[in-house]
């Protein structure tokens, strides 16, 4: 499967713990996006990278959230001091860097904070 | 910023009937409108998209129409089948700050479509 892959698929953690998720985009895709999806809602934009540069961050991304893409390939999303409100599906997507290039989503990481 | 509203939230049809899902957007500068299908526990998958220089696009049983003046766009599925059952999301994308590409999508809340045999 050469699509977007995310790891882990599920994560259960206790409130206050730190968690880190990984995303491997489609190899030729320069742009990488993180979205968050809660039950019954559409995905909400969090941040995106063009190669290793983080070009935009949503106001939804509090200072407890940090995302990196150090070599312009895979990306990590870290949440520090998790809260119950952080429970959601975290989706990664990638696209080519050209007009009209659609977003391809991964299967997501489902985070449950107890 | 952009806001996308989607209706209805649930839609139930008989197999073979047509289904229509409607979305409105607020930012007249938005220029790209994709539709995604998400089955339970799976990733959102692009099924069709349309750009602001086009009024209608078809792909087999699926079509999308765009009315830029009214700022709304619709998904039409004809001859529905049970495997069409899923949640469908519309999205709009404001133009990026840099040339090329689309930097983010603003999604609607989704429509749960149930197709009954």
């Amino acid at each position: 499967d050469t699509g977007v892959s995310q790891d882990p698929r599920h994560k259960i953690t206790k409130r206050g713990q730190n968690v880190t998720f990984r995303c491997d985009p489609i190899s030729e895709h320069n742009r990488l996006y993180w979205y968050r999806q809660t039950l019954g809602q559409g995905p909400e934009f969090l941040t995106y990278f063009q190669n290793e540069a983080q070009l935009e961050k949503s106001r939804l991304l509090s200072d407890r959230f940090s995302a990196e893409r150090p070599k312009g390939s895979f990306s990590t999303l870290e949440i520090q001091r998790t809260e119950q409100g952080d429970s959601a599906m975290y989706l990664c997507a990638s696209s080519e860097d050209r007009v009209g290039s659609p977003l391809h989503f991964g299967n997501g990481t489902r985070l449950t904070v107890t | 910023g952009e806001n996308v509203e989607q209706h209805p939230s649930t839609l139930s049809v008989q197999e073979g009937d047509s289904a229509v899902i409607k979305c409105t957007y607020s930012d007249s500068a938005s220029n790209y409108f994709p539709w995604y299908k998400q089955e339970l526990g799976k990733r959102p998958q692009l099924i069709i998209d349309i750009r602001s220089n086009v009024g209608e696009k078809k792909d087999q049983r699926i079509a999308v129409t765009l009315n830029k003046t009214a700022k709304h766009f619709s998904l039409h599925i004809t001859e529905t089948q049970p495997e069409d059952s899923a949640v469908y999301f519309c999205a709009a994308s404001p133009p990026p700050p840099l040339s090329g590409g689309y930097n983010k999508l603003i999604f609607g809340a989704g429509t749960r479509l149930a197709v009954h045999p």
Side-chain angles (χ1 to χ4, degrees), chain A residues 8-101:
Chain A
R9 290 295 309 275
H10 304 274
K11 178 69 177 179
I12 300 173
T13 191
K14 292 185 177 180
R15 188 178 56 183
Q17 297 295 305
N18 299 342
V19 294
T20 300
F21 312 141
R22 176 180 170 123
C23 171
D24 287 272
I26 294 172
S27 59
E28 61 268 26
H29 286 184
N30 295 332
R31 293 198 170 204
L32 186 147
Y33 312 77
W34 285 98
Y35 283 78
R36 180 172 66 188
Q37 186 177 25
T38 53
L39 197 62
Q41 297 297 317
E44 297 175 293
F45 171 79
L46 293 178
T47 188
Y48 90 98
F49 292 83
Q50 181 167 343
N51 299 311
E52 67 276 8
Q54 188 173 19
L55 295 187
E56 187 170 350
K57 292 171 61 173
S58 165
R59 284 171 291 181
L60 293 174
L61 215 64
S62 76
D63 56 5
R64 296 185 299 105
F65 288 71
S66 62
E68 294 183 344
R69 195 182 183 195
K71 297 182 180 178
S73 56
F74 73 91
S75 175
T76 58
L77 177 67
E78 181 183 16
I79 308 174
Q80 296 181 326
R81 305 181 304 281
T82 52
E83 302 173 355
Q84 287 188 321
D86 297 331
S87 296
M89 175 73 83
Y90 289 84
L91 293 164
C92 177
S94 69
S95 73
E96 296 177 24
D97 184 15
R98 61 175 177 83
V99 175
S101 179

Side-chain angles (χ1 to χ4, degrees), chain A residues 9 31 33 35 37 40-43 45 48 56 98-100 102-103 105-107, chain B residues 32 36 38 41-44 46 51 89 98 100-105 107-109:
Chain A
R9 290 295 309 275
R31 293 198 170 204
Y33 312 77
Y35 283 78
Q37 186 177 25
Q41 297 297 317
F45 171 79
Y48 90 98
E56 187 170 350
R98 61 175 177 83
V99 175
L103 269 63
F105 283 90
N107 283 322
Chain B
Y32 174 63
Y36 283 81
Q38 188 174 30
K42 295 190 177 180
R43 69 185 76 189
L46 179 72
R51 290 165 184 79
F89 293 99
L98 303 174
Y102 295 93
N103 60 359
K104 67 182 181 185
L105 300 177
F107 284 84

Side-chain angles (χ1 to χ4, degrees), chain B residues 38-57:
Chain B
Q38 188 174 30
E39 297 177 42
L40 190 63
K42 295 190 177 180
R43 69 185 76 189
Q45 291 195 300
L46 179 72
I47 56 172
I48 195 166
D49 57 13
I50 191 168
R51 290 165 184 79
S52 57
N53 58 345
V54 175
E56 183 177 4
K57 183 177 178 180

Side-chain angles (χ1 to χ4, degrees), chain B residues 19-30:
Chain B
V20 180
I21 302 170
K22 298 182 179 181
C23 289
T24 60
Y25 61 99
S26 60
D27 188 345
S28 58
S30 288

